[in-house]
Amino acid sequence: TQLLEQSPQFLSIQEGENLTVYCNSSSVFSSLQWYRQEPGEGPVLLVTVVTGGEVKKLKRLTFQFGDARKDSSLHITAAQPGDTGLYLCAGAESGYSTLTFGKGTMLLVSP
Amino acid sequence: KAGVTQTPRYLIKTRGQQVTLSCSPISGHRSVSWYQQTPGQGLQFLFEYFSETQRNKGNFPGRFSGRQFSNSRSEMNVSTLELGDSALYLCASSPGQGRGTQYFGPGTRLLVL
């Protein structure tokens, strides 16, 4: 069974601070996705990374896929209260749509 | 395009009852996956359907079942409900089997009393 470990589990910061969330596994994934989920809603896809070493930027969010495709990180610059939510990473096995999810990082950004 | 829709959004049942949840995927998407989300276990994969066939199944008891119709709409059924089945049940659709990019619905919140 492939497992994804996310850290930290909880993060409470002030508006304007930077932060990094990590997603680690001992297994190799063909692709890795990051989602954000708000209370009472389903996860919303932020980005998909497929190539080892790949870096993608989405406004103030920077996503990186490890060279060995076993780990990933999400960096947020100058966090805003609207960034508050549960951030989930999910890895896909090659050739399948099945996703293995990490347990998530709950981010709270206070004004 | 309309997103993934799930009905009902909220449901309260008692132990021993059964429940059926419905999911309509994004138009043109043929793959539907179901997940259970709880605070302790996070998101856990239940099963995936593609072209009316179950392609993958997670590690859940046989009380959990599903099906997919010719229009790609999917239902999941839980029989003999237990307290531990209380969870957010999420449906996700994707164009087809592939590298796993999935789009989630808002979920059905099930409470078992």
Side-chain angles (χ1 to χ4, degrees), chain B residues 26-113:
Chain B
I26 292 171
S27 177
H29 285 194
R30 295 169 63 193
S31 172
V32 172
S33 297
W34 288 90
Y35 296 84
Q36 181 195 66
Q37 186 177 29
T38 58
Q41 298 299 318
L43 266 139
Q44 293 185 288
F45 171 74
L46 281 157
F47 26 66
E48 180 204 1
Y49 286 87
F50 179 78
S51 294
E52 302 177 65
T53 302
Q54 187 179 89
R55 301 290 176 151
N56 263 308
K57 191 176 190 305
N59 189 25
F60 278 81
R63 299 185 297 106
F64 291 82
S65 62
R67 59 177 175 168
Q68 186 180 33
F69 302 95
S70 58
N71 61 359
S72 295
R73 191 177 69 84
S74 177
E75 288 181 347
M76 68 163 280
N77 184 277
V78 188
S79 61
T80 319
L81 284 166
E82 300 177 358
L83 296 179
D85 296 333
S86 294
L88 181 66
Y89 289 88
L90 292 160
C91 163
S93 77
S94 61
Q97 283 192 301
R99 285 180 169 250
T101 300
Q102 298 187 4
Y103 300 88
F104 284 83
T108 294
R109 173 75 63 184
L110 172 64
L111 177 60
V112 182
L113 301 175

Side-chain angles (χ1 to χ4, degrees), chain A residues 16-49:
Chain A
E17 292 184 34
N18 301 332
L19 67 117
T20 302
V21 175
Y22 299 94
C23 177
N24 296 296
S25 174
S26 57
S27 304
V28 175
F29 291 97
S30 65
S31 68
L32 196 137
Q33 302 170 24
W34 284 92
Y35 292 82
R36 188 177 84 192
Q37 184 178 21
E38 297 187 21
E41 299 296 329
V44 175
L45 180 68
L46 295 173
V47 76
T48 300
V49 286

